[in-house]
Amino acid sequence: MRRIGIAPRQRWNETVARQGLTIHTCADGMPYWDESAYWEFSSNEIDRIVAATAEIQKLARAAGAHILDHNRLEEMSIPTVAAARIRETWNSEPPALYGRLDLAFDGRQIKLLEYNADTPTGLVEAAVIQWYWLEECFPKEDQFNSLHEKLVDKWKDLLPYLKQPVYFGHDGSEEDFLTVNYLRDTAQQGGHKTVPIAMHSVGWEDAKARFVDLERRPIESFFKLYPWEWLLGEQFGPHALETMDKMNWMEPIWKMMWSNKALLAILWELNPNHELLLPAYLDGPRSLKDYVRKPLFGREGAGVTVFRNWVAEEGDGDSEPKASDGKFVFQKLAPLAADGGNTAVIGSWLIDGEPAGMGIRESSGTITTNTSRFVPHLFR
Amino acid sequence: MRKSREVPLTLLAALTQFVTGRRDVPESRYCVDEAGKIVPDFNCENSTLGMSYHYVYGGSSDGNIGDVVVGGNATSKRESEVSRGGFGFGSGGSAGG
């Protein structure tokens, strides 16, 4: 793999905005969508990423069963009130759509950094924008990217299981809004009727014990780009648990087990020295001297701190997410692909549990944050 | 590996036109009397007066006291009780990642 600098397209920002990526530039004026370079892979390297993604998914399935069989939810700071519903949905397998593994890959070894299993974003740029970039700039080359087709196919598969319409809830940044609406788009192409709704607009009708939309229609199928640990901590959280047997929530609540970073320590415990995993512990760094401390709950690098020689060197440990409950996972620092001061993390997407494509985020440091640049890729 | 067909986008492309300034339109609710004329909300909220007044959800009106509400759904206060705002307060960070 190598990073190759190129001249961006003329008026690239207008092009990507027209294609759906309105957040192409960060607040400081630096590009978020960065096509001043691309990452080139060999076909063999892509095969390795695909195989690693599928293998880690297998390990995660086994870890999920282990967590429930050995009652380890409390250890992961998952609220005990959610335990029964997590167990039920794990067994009944209600519809689940997607997830993203963040991988370190330096051209030699691939290592799992974390699993964004509940509310992954960055899908528009991975599925759509970099594909159009490839078609325009390198039409003869290839890209690990079948996200769009797999999403539409998955929605078609879900038609018999989801009552219509499917509601799409969000309540965050413009990035979240774009991700939700891209998923709505794929759902509609898969044959579903969809309705967007802000999370704060979701209504609770007490007399009928059900969630309703702004027109008082019952919400029975609900994709939410909103983490379960937030949902459960809010006023309607108990209602979500009470009514789960008559409503499809996507992603399902059992994804709390995979989106929780304690999963990393449990994976290592169950598969010590696995070539795709990094040493990770819940009780401290143990013998690690270069490691990353991550809150059990959190996204976009929030609360993550990098330690080298046991000294905190990078990160914002002070902005610890509330839901982390003061608990962390301590994971060995992984070697990242680096070039010219840029470090790259691969986001490897799964649709319906299958590898489906990837996106690359670049940072100046080690931690991927919400301002880390998205850089397209191709393979030859 | 390679995609075999186009990536048709309909909804996303249309939505990006409206990405700024997007908001859900709150549902209208009026307290009306038996003739369908808008009265102050306290008439519907006060149980001693409630027999003669009710809420109408949706419907068309200029929204002024005394205006008639056309259309909408009239239900008793008890049946129509819906609370909102129970989700959406977040945790100070990004919901996605």
Side-chain angles (χ1 to χ4, degrees):
Chain A
M1 59 185 291
R2 60 178 180 152
R3 187 179 193 273
I4 300 172
I6 52 169
R9 290 169 291 179
Q10 293 284 327
R11 305 172 82 161
W12 62 269
N13 46 356
E14 293 174 21
T15 300
V16 300
R18 196 168 53 246
Q19 292 163 351
L21 189 66
T22 51
I23 52 163
H24 50 67
T25 302
C26 298
D28 61 3
M30 298 300 289
Y32 164 67
W33 165 263
D34 185 358
E35 59 176 66
S36 67
Y38 65 91
W39 284 87
E40 178 187 294
F41 293 81
S42 68
S43 181
N44 181 55
E45 287 170 332
I46 294 295
D47 288 345
R48 286 186 61 197
I49 292 169
V50 171
T53 302
E55 169 68 8
I56 293 168
Q57 181 74 353
K58 273 175 54 183
L59 299 179
R61 286 189 200 285
H66 166 90
I67 290 164
L68 294 177
D69 289 346
H70 295 81
N71 298 313
R72 300 189 67 173
L73 294 174
E74 192 174 348
E75 188 183 347
M76 302 171 82
S77 294
I78 292 174
T80 52
V81 293
R85 291 303 194 186
I86 289 173
R87 197 175 292 278
E88 284 170 19
T89 54
W90 175 263
N91 291 325
S92 63
E93 297 186 34
L97 185 68
Y98 75 151
R100 194 192 71 232
L101 300 176
D102 284 349
L103 304 174
F105 184 31
D106 62 357
R108 291 177 295 124
Q109 50 181 351
I110 299 174
K111 300 289 185 184
L112 172 66
L113 297 174
E114 58 190 65
Y115 195 169
N116 294 285
D118 186 17
T119 60
T121 54
L123 190 54
V124 176
E125 42 276 51
V128 178
I129 308 301
Q130 69 169 346
W131 177 253
Y132 283 138
W133 167 85
L134 182 78
E135 286 196 321
E136 185 174 341
C137 299
F138 298 94
K140 294 180 180 175
E141 306 303 338
D142 212 338
Q143 190 175 84
F144 174 29
N145 187 355
S146 56
L147 283 159
H148 188 83
E149 294 91 325
K150 284 191 166 67
L151 281 166
V152 173
D153 287 347
K154 177 61 180 175
W155 285 115
K156 287 178 182 171
D157 291 345
L158 292 178
L159 273 171
Y161 303 101
L162 294 176
K163 290 185 181 173
Q164 304 295 312
V166 181
Y167 289 83
F168 284 77
H170 68 88
D171 205 53
S173 63
E174 190 173 334
E175 177 188 7
D176 296 353
F177 178 73
L178 291 180
T179 299
V180 163
N181 282 296
Y182 173 60
L183 286 169
R184 268 189 72 206
D185 200 326
T186 58
Q188 292 194 175
Q189 292 182 44
H192 295 267
K193 293 176 181 167
T194 69
V195 177
I197 189 166
M199 293 301 297
H200 62 81
S201 294
V202 172
W204 173 255
E205 190 174 12
D206 207 37
K208 295 183 178 175
R210 64 184 188 180
F211 289 107
V212 295
D213 69 6
L214 286 165
E215 304 296 327
R216 294 169 185 267
R217 294 172 299 191
I219 298 174
E220 295 172 294
S221 301
F222 193 21
F223 175 92
K224 54 38 177 201
L225 193 70
Y226 201 77
W228 271 108
E229 67 265 21
W230 291 8
L231 281 168
L232 295 181
E234 296 185 333
Q235 183 190 345
F236 287 172
H239 298 323
L241 293 171
E242 291 157 19
T243 58
M244 200 163 283
D245 51 356
K246 57 182 180 183
M247 188 171 162
N248 272 311
W249 289 83
M250 297 174 71
E251 298 293 308
I253 193 172
W254 66 258
K255 286 272 186 116
M256 289 187 85
M257 295 192 291
W258 285 1
S259 61
N260 186 302
K261 292 184 182 65
L263 175 74
L264 302 169
I266 292 171
L267 282 170
W268 181 253
E269 175 191 318
L270 297 177
N271 309 277
N273 301 312
H274 193 289
E275 63 174 330
L276 298 173
L277 302 177
L278 291 160
Y281 310 104
L282 289 171
D283 58 358
R286 298 194 188 177
S287 61
L288 304 175
K289 67 172 186 175
D290 297 333
Y291 60 93
V292 181
R293 189 185 71 181
K294 302 175 178 180
L296 299 191
F297 301 94
R299 287 150 293 279
E300 303 274 21
V304 173
T305 308
V306 177
F307 292 78
R308 289 188 178 85
N309 287 319
W310 303 284
V311 176
E313 281 199 348
E314 182 187 345
D316 66 343
D318 291 339
S319 66
E320 180 186 324
K322 282 191 290 187
S324 74
D325 197 23
K327 291 188 177 178
F328 297 94
V329 67
F330 301 82
Q331 185 186 46
K332 185 178 179 180
L333 190 60
L336 302 174
D339 187 301
N342 302 293
T343 57
V345 169
I346 291 171
S348 186
W349 289 91
L350 297 118
I351 306 298
D352 197 19
E354 300 291 332
M358 73 179 195
I360 296 174
R361 300 286 297 276
E362 280 189 357
S363 308
S364 303
T366 308
I367 302 170
T368 302
T369 68
N370 59 357
T371 59
S372 297
R373 302 170 295 282
F374 190 101
V375 179
H377 81 277
L378 57 79
F379 73 87
R380 301 178 194 270
Chain B
M1 203 74 67
R2 189 181 179 117
K3 286 184 175 179
S4 59
R5 54 182 186 267
E6 294 291 310
V7 179
L9 294 174
T10 51
L11 183 63
L12 182 69
L15 282 165
T16 57
Q17 309 288 318
F18 305 102
V19 71
T20 53
R22 65 190 158 74
R23 289 289 182 269
D24 286 311
V25 178
E27 181 186 42
S28 59
R29 186 187 72 173
Y30 305 105
C31 181
V32 299
D33 63 17
E34 289 173 330
K37 291 183 178 178
I38 297 175
V39 297
D41 278 359
F42 69 80
N43 291 285
C44 288
E45 292 161 3
N46 187 326
S47 58
T48 59
L49 302 173
M51 292 297 288
S52 304
Y53 303 95
H54 62 276
Y55 283 113
V56 171
Y57 295 88
S60 300
S61 167
D62 287 342
N64 302 313
I65 300 296
D67 288 346
V68 174
V69 178
V70 178
N73 298 312
T75 56
S76 73
K77 183 184 176 190
R78 182 175 181 80
E79 287 171 343
S80 65
E81 195 165 295
V82 171
S83 50
R84 300 190 192 275
F87 288 138
F89 291 94
S91 188
S94 173

